[in-house]
Amino acid sequence: GATMWKCKDCGKVFKRKHKLDLHIETHLEGFSHPCQTCSREFKTRKSLSCHNLLVHREKKEKKETVDVKKEPSPEFAEAEQEQNEKLRVEIFKRMEKIKDSEDGTMWRCTECGKLLKKKDKLELHVETHIEGFSHSCSYCDKIHKTRTALKMHIITIHKGAN
């Protein structure tokens, strides 16, 4: 079989060592990576990179070719919509609204306890805990576990093609 790489902190398994190296940063304390554009701080280099791509739309280079998006069949589009509705139900099952006297309304992930001020940001986080859902790239059919991973794939691999 292929070599697998396992995180000693949480047991998560990776097919590629560099993915484990990036993952290990999530367990390290005392490090921060500031955004050069808006000064927001991130725990990992990967989260800073994702922030730059999603928020500041930084692109390394322009592509010569244009990726073509495949139009989904009506059946696929309907199945995708149904999956997204089920996913939202699963996400909301794992979220808790907290009233904090200092911070006001906060949202807590019931899976790991993570607290965030913005509900939509916690929804994206909670999705990382949920198994059994997949999101296919409409350009190349690569499958991703979360909608954010799919969005990052499209931005980085297909250069945000529309």
Side-chain angles (χ1 to χ4, degrees), residues 2-147:
T3 301
M4 300 296 273
W5 302 89
K6 187 174 183 180
C7 175
K8 291 178 181 169
D9 285 320
C10 69
K12 190 169 181 175
V13 177
F14 299 87
K15 291 178 188 170
R16 294 185 175 85
K17 186 178 183 297
H18 79 276
K19 296 281 189 185
L20 171 63
D21 293 341
L22 289 171
H23 165 79
I24 286 170
E25 286 187 29
T26 65
H27 299 296
L28 301 176
E29 295 299 326
F31 292 93
S32 74
H33 305 276
C35 172
Q36 300 301 312
T37 307
C38 69
S39 301
R40 193 167 157 207
E41 303 242 330
F42 295 88
K43 187 171 180 172
T44 67
R45 290 171 296 173
K46 185 175 182 186
S47 59
L48 172 60
S49 175
C50 289
H51 163 78
N52 279 324
L53 285 164
L54 292 169
V55 176
H56 304 301
R57 295 280 186 210
E58 283 184 13
K59 294 187 176 84
K60 290 183 174 72
E61 76 279 332
K62 293 280 183 213
K63 277 179 68 161
E64 299 295 318
T65 60
V66 176
D67 291 341
V68 178
K69 188 174 189 173
K70 294 176 241 163
E71 283 303 314
S73 67
E75 297 81 18
F76 178 83
E78 190 176 314
E80 187 177 39
Q81 185 177 351
E82 192 176 304
Q83 174 185 259
N84 285 337
E85 288 167 13
K86 287 179 182 173
L87 179 59
R88 285 188 67 76
V89 168
E90 291 302 317
I91 288 170
F92 289 124
K93 281 183 192 173
R94 293 164 173 82
M95 290 176 63
E96 186 175 55
K97 190 176 188 177
I98 307 275
K99 293 282 185 188
D100 186 281
S101 56
E102 287 179 32
D103 298 318
T105 301
M106 299 288 287
W107 293 90
R108 187 172 79 84
C109 171
T110 60
E111 294 286 319
C112 71
K114 184 171 190 155
L115 271 175
L116 290 174
K117 186 111 180 116
K118 296 192 184 234
K119 183 180 178 185
D120 61 328
K121 299 290 185 212
L122 190 67
E123 287 176 32
L124 296 174
H125 162 77
V126 168
E127 189 176 346
T128 66
H129 293 295
I130 299 172
E131 298 291 333
F133 290 89
S134 62
H135 309 277
S136 300
C137 176
S138 53
Y139 296 94
C140 69
D141 296 326
K142 185 167 167 62
I143 295 171
H144 298 272
K145 185 181 173 206
T146 66
R147 292 169 295 175

